[in-house]
Amino acid sequence: MHDALYRWDVWAAAYLIGGGCSDDSFMDFRAGVIALGCQWYQRVAADPDSLAAHPDVGQAANVRDRSEALFYEDVNYGASGAFERVTGDEDAFYEAWRSFRGADTESDNAVDMGEDFDFDDDREMSRRLPRLAALFLGTGP
């Protein structure tokens, strides 16, 4: 689920919502989208600009420090925490994950992130993400 959101258009949405977005922050943002549930995940995967309709995003547009909106780092550790509770071994999840990923022949394939573009170009962001740009850049949709 994380990998399917590893795209420039989703990263641009995170950049607008968070007021910037590093590699690590983008991982946390994707975790936040996953935590929103299946319907929101599917909406964002189909159209990242649809996040403009999410109440947390709308609220984030009205605050100065919006780095917390949808950037949920702890979600990244939910599976390892659950695995540890079941096995009693905090390292067991990562060992099992490495074993699983080693058997995953597709994991070595390069990810197609789509077309790269300049997140600091307000005009380009408005063209690609008009609703989010209207919220965070003050541009018309």
Side-chain angles (χ1 to χ4, degrees):
M1 295 183 81
H2 254 273
D3 291 350
L5 295 176
Y6 194 72
R7 303 187 332 238
W8 292 117
D9 58 346
V10 177
W11 203 331
Y15 191 88
L16 284 172
I17 293 166
C21 186
S22 68
D23 286 343
D24 286 345
S25 292
F26 186 45
M27 187 181 337
D28 300 344
F29 180 82
R30 289 179 289 146
V33 170
I34 292 166
L36 294 176
C38 184
Q39 288 182 333
W40 273 104
Y41 176 88
Q42 290 174 343
R43 285 177 73 175
V44 173
D47 177 18
D49 199 35
S50 67
L51 278 168
H54 193 279
D56 290 348
V57 173
Q59 185 177 10
N62 297 313
V63 296
R64 186 172 184 91
D65 179 20
R66 55 187 191 257
S67 62
E68 298 298 317
L70 302 185
F71 291 80
Y72 303 150
E73 179 180 11
D74 291 344
V75 173
N76 289 314
Y77 308 108
S80 62
F83 206 88
E84 180 182 351
R85 290 180 80 178
V86 170
T87 65
D89 181 353
E90 71 180 73
D91 297 323
F93 172 79
Y94 297 102
E95 292 165 9
W97 182 247
R98 275 190 295 279
S99 175
F100 170 77
R101 290 299 281 194
D104 182 8
T105 58
E106 293 184 31
S107 66
D108 291 333
N109 292 342
V111 176
D112 179 11
M113 293 181 64
E115 183 184 356
D116 188 6
F117 57 98
D118 183 358
F119 296 170
D120 291 317
D121 181 340
D122 290 357
R123 187 176 291 176
E124 187 66 15
M125 293 293 265
S126 295
R127 185 178 75 77
R128 293 176 184 258
L129 301 165
R131 293 173 286 175
L132 285 170
L135 282 174
F136 293 100
L137 300 176
T139 61

